[in-house]
Amino acid sequence: MKLTIEYSNKSILNNKLDALIVFIFEDLGLAGSGLNSLPYDLKNNLDTSIKLKVFTGKQNKCLQLFSAYANIPQILAVGVGKKNEMNSESLRRAAGTAGKILNSLKAKNIGFSVTSHLQKVSNTDVGQVLVEGLTLGSYKFNKYKESNDENLKLESIKLKCFDPDNVTSRKAIKTGKMRADSTNLARNLGNMPANDLKPKDLASSAEKIAKQHKMNCTVLEEKQMKKLGMEMLLGVSQGSREPAKLILMEYFHQKAKQTVALVGKGVTFDSGGISLKPGRNMDEMKFDMCGAAAVLGAMEIIGQINPHVNVIGVIAATENLPGGDAQRPGDIVTAHNGKRVEILNTDAEGRLILGDALSYVVNEFKPNAVIDLATLTGACITALGHYACGAITNSNKLMEQVRKAANLSGDRVWQLPCFPEYGESIKGKYGDLQNIGVGDSGTIIGGMFLEHFVDKTPWVHLDIAGTAWNVKHIGYQPNSGATGFGVRLLVDLVQNWEPI
Ligand code: BES
Ligand code: MN
Ligand code: ZN
């Protein structure tokens, strides 16, 4: 389905629409939700359903109704909960819930009003938040479905935003659409099966985005990585026939005083290697490039909003397979920064490829801050489930900025401790380091391994293993598959950057 958004600063009346979406507060009913002036024939059924408490305006509840008003035959009422409990994230979720059923309305021309009643509940422009939610909610991954499905046939929907009180703006609506579209790009990349999305495909994706938005893009090949001494990355890649790629995208702003690097884990399939994973749910390891997808999605937006900070997008892309050349447990490799690392488990590959990527970026670009995103540990799902990613950092100042961006975007972040004792178990027996520790707190240990490769650069590691796919009960997230987690978080971080 293709969704287009239009903006009008006129009233909804005198328009012919196939359907109208109305947002209704639980404690205020129709009048308090700014819908009193709608024609009686349109409101009638809605009024009755509220009076009979069939529809109460509870957060995320929807009701589909039909009206006798010829110009607008269908209504989708969406509950946004109690007014004083509202914020931009709950509004985004409610809009997402509506977005999920847009297709089944069988309507091509759908309107919604941004009333002044919604204005004060959000710390972000409400128009932007609503469009973000609606567009994210309507996402479906249908690339591999038969095209004779009725729902798939209904190909394009036009969504019209009416803003008679100037609560939002044409620009905000466009911004919301752009943010959702790039998040959906990250979802598409995540959902692609590993036979159709290889490291080279991540590279061409980056090249395409860079070209569209006038950024530099360089792809380092294995030969160059060898020269640079990236044995950790190459060691992971050597079990696969697909060559690894180290992808670098550079966004520059003339007035920028600082540079931020965004580094994503791009394992297009993680079988575990010789330390092979169990068969159950192994298919989900096609999602092991969702960190990379987040960086790509964010760079696509950054190229359009021109923030006043330089941004380097970095993707370490490889497969982790157990081919005849695969690395063995016990192998010792030399990292880009010279540290010797003993591989005790080939399935702890994310930290290896990211370690080399991080060391390279901090040396080559001397960024003021680095954020990495990775589906790094299953342990993170045990620790935090699906409703916050885990964070490890060496800089409280940077962490504070990440936290603010998390609150703005709805991509939640939860900091984990990194007391020195946690790092003891990755000190090497035969090398300087080993790639797994002993005992529990695997997410912290994985993060602290990475810390050895960032020098003193302020750094935040985000373990997105739990938030990158299969997140239920959030209105704008699909019930299964990739979420695009991190795209809007990174954009909000970069856009509101405060020099550190
Ligand atoms: N990509 C996985 C982490 C993962 C597993 C994410 C399941 C989401 C769901 C990562 O490469 C991995 O295999 N990590 C190991 C680390 C262990 C060997 C120390 C893990 O979590 O089991
Ligand atoms: Mn692994
Ligand atoms: Zn992995």
Side-chain angles (χ1 to χ4, degrees):
M1 187 255 282
K2 187 175 150 44
L3 193 69
T4 52
I5 312 270
E6 275 181 19
Y7 174 85
S8 161
N9 55 11
K10 305 238 156 56
S11 148
I12 202 130
L13 297 171
N14 309 319
N15 273 277
K16 209 172 154 26
L17 298 166
D18 299 330
L20 176 68
I21 304 173
V22 294
F23 297 97
I24 294 174
F25 286 107
E26 186 179 352
D27 46 350
L28 301 180
L30 263 192
S33 303
L35 303 167
N36 231 10
S37 60
L38 293 178
Y40 173 81
D41 281 342
L42 182 73
K43 287 191 306 191
N44 186 19
N45 286 353
L46 189 54
D47 238 348
T48 312
S49 67
I50 291 173
K51 279 200 189 100
L52 296 178
K53 295 197 164 52
V54 172
F55 179 79
T56 59
K58 261 203 171 53
Q59 170 78 22
N60 290 325
K61 291 275 183 260
C62 288
L63 182 70
Q64 191 179 357
L65 288 164
F66 303 94
S67 90
Y69 181 60
N71 276 348
I72 305 177
Q74 196 177 173
I75 306 164
L76 178 64
V78 186
V80 294
K82 295 204 174 78
K83 184 152 188 177
N84 62 6
E85 290 168 9
M86 282 293 303
N87 55 48
S88 35
E89 175 65 3
S90 53
L91 201 56
R92 191 184 286 116
R93 291 183 185 200
T97 308
K100 278 207 175 91
I101 44 186
L102 277 193
N103 236 328
S104 59
L105 298 181
K106 305 282 175 211
K108 292 200 157 160
N109 194 6
I110 305 173
F112 68 98
S113 272
V114 183
T115 63
S116 55
H117 301 74
L118 289 167
Q119 193 165 23
K120 286 172 195 73
V121 299
S122 176
N123 54 1
T124 315
D125 184 288
V126 276
Q128 179 192 313
V129 167
L130 289 175
V131 170
E132 222 171 274
L134 284 161
T135 310
L136 288 171
S138 70
Y139 173 81
K140 283 208 169 67
F141 184 67
N142 284 330
K143 198 170 157 57
Y144 296 89
K145 289 252 191 221
E146 280 188 59
S147 53
N148 53 11
D149 183 316
E150 264 306 304
N151 285 326
L152 302 182
K153 263 195 200 156
L154 193 65
E155 260 177 355
S156 71
I157 290 180
K158 197 168 74 190
L159 205 55
K160 201 160 178 182
C161 168
F162 294 92
D163 180 30
D165 307 337
N166 291 314
V167 171
T168 179
S169 65
R170 190 181 302 274
K171 185 163 176 257
I173 296 295
K174 246 184 100 178
T175 303
K177 182 67 168 41
M178 174 186 65
R179 290 163 62 93
D181 282 346
S182 294
T183 305
N184 288 341
L185 165 83
R187 289 171 170 180
N188 278 338
L189 291 168
N191 289 329
M192 289 283 281
N195 58 331
D196 277 350
L197 189 99
K198 306 268 168 95
K200 60 171 181 269
D201 300 307
L202 287 176
S204 33
S205 219
E207 277 159 350
K208 190 174 153 200
I209 291 166
K211 198 169 169 201
Q212 266 169 0
H213 303 295
K214 302 194 173 58
M215 293 184 266
N216 294 332
C217 183
T218 319
V219 178
L220 299 187
E221 305 294 335
E222 290 193 341
K223 227 169 102 186
Q224 292 157 288
M225 294 181 217
K226 202 162 178 188
K227 270 197 196 139
L228 289 162
M230 299 181 170
E231 286 185 13
M232 289 202 296
L233 208 172
L234 290 168
V236 173
S237 162
Q238 74 193 35
S240 162
R241 290 191 180 158
E242 289 295 324
K245 309 275 173 185
L246 186 63
I247 306 160
L248 305 159
M249 303 169 79
E250 297 166 57
Y251 162 82
F252 286 112
H253 191 279
Q254 292 243 308
K255 290 191 192 124
K257 293 200 171 65
Q258 295 212 321
T259 300
V260 181
L262 312 174
V263 183
K265 172 179 175 182
V267 175
T268 56
F269 190 76
D270 179 13
S271 71
I274 295 298
S275 314
L276 194 64
K277 285 184 180 296
R280 207 179 118 102
N281 294 337
M282 206 209 269
D283 59 293
E284 295 192 351
M285 283 300 109
K286 70 171 181 177
F287 294 118
D288 212 17
M289 35 56 68
C290 283
V295 171
L296 287 172
M299 291 309 284
E300 186 178 64
I301 300 175
I302 288 163
Q304 296 171 75
I305 59 172
N306 298 322
H308 288 213
V309 59
N310 297 327
V311 185
I312 319 285
V314 183
I315 289 164
T318 179
E319 285 189 313
N320 186 21
L321 290 183
D325 292 327
Q327 79 178 341
R328 296 139 291 248
D331 285 3
I332 298 179
V333 297
T334 306
H336 175 262
N337 68 354
K339 289 192 183 169
R340 308 293 293 269
V341 178
E342 187 180 6
I343 314 299
L344 291 180
N345 188 321
T346 65
D347 196 12
E349 86 294 343
R351 61 198 72 182
L352 298 173
I353 68 168
L354 286 174
D356 272 345
L358 287 167
S359 165
Y360 178 75
V361 205
V362 299
N363 277 288
E364 189 70 19
F365 296 95
K366 310 259 180 305
N368 302 86
V370 189
I371 316 289
D372 78 75
L373 295 94
T375 46
L376 205 74
T377 63
C380 193
I381 311 177
T382 309
L384 297 172
H386 301 281
Y387 302 112
C389 73
I392 296 285
T393 185
N394 62 2
S395 161
N396 287 329
K397 237 175 144 183
L398 180 60
M399 190 62 223
E400 206 37 59
Q401 290 207 47
V402 171
R403 224 177 253 125
K404 277 187 194 155
N407 291 338
L408 275 175
S409 64
D411 285 345
R412 289 204 198 100
V413 172
W414 200 260
Q415 187 180 359
L416 300 171
C418 53
F419 302 119
E421 293 85 346
Y422 288 107
E424 284 298 322
S425 70
I426 46 171
K427 288 192 174 156
K429 197 162 139 203
Y430 298 111
D432 300 316
L433 291 169
Q434 54 189 45
N435 79 329
I436 56 167
V438 283
D440 305 323
S441 64
T443 304
I444 298 173
I445 293 172
M448 289 182 80
F449 180 91
L450 295 176
E451 193 177 355
H452 288 275
F453 300 92
V454 295
D455 244 336
K456 295 272 175 300
T457 314
W459 151 86
V460 169
H461 156 66
L462 299 177
D463 192 329
I464 61 168
T467 54
W469 72 92
N470 290 3
V471 177
K472 292 189 170 49
H473 314 302
I474 293 182
Y476 57 81
Q477 298 293 19
N479 293 326
S480 68
T483 58
F485 182 96
V487 172
R488 291 170 308 107
L489 168 71
L490 291 176
V491 170
D492 284 333
L493 175 71
V494 164
Q495 194 161 27
N496 301 302
W497 185 251
E498 292 160 25
I500 57 170

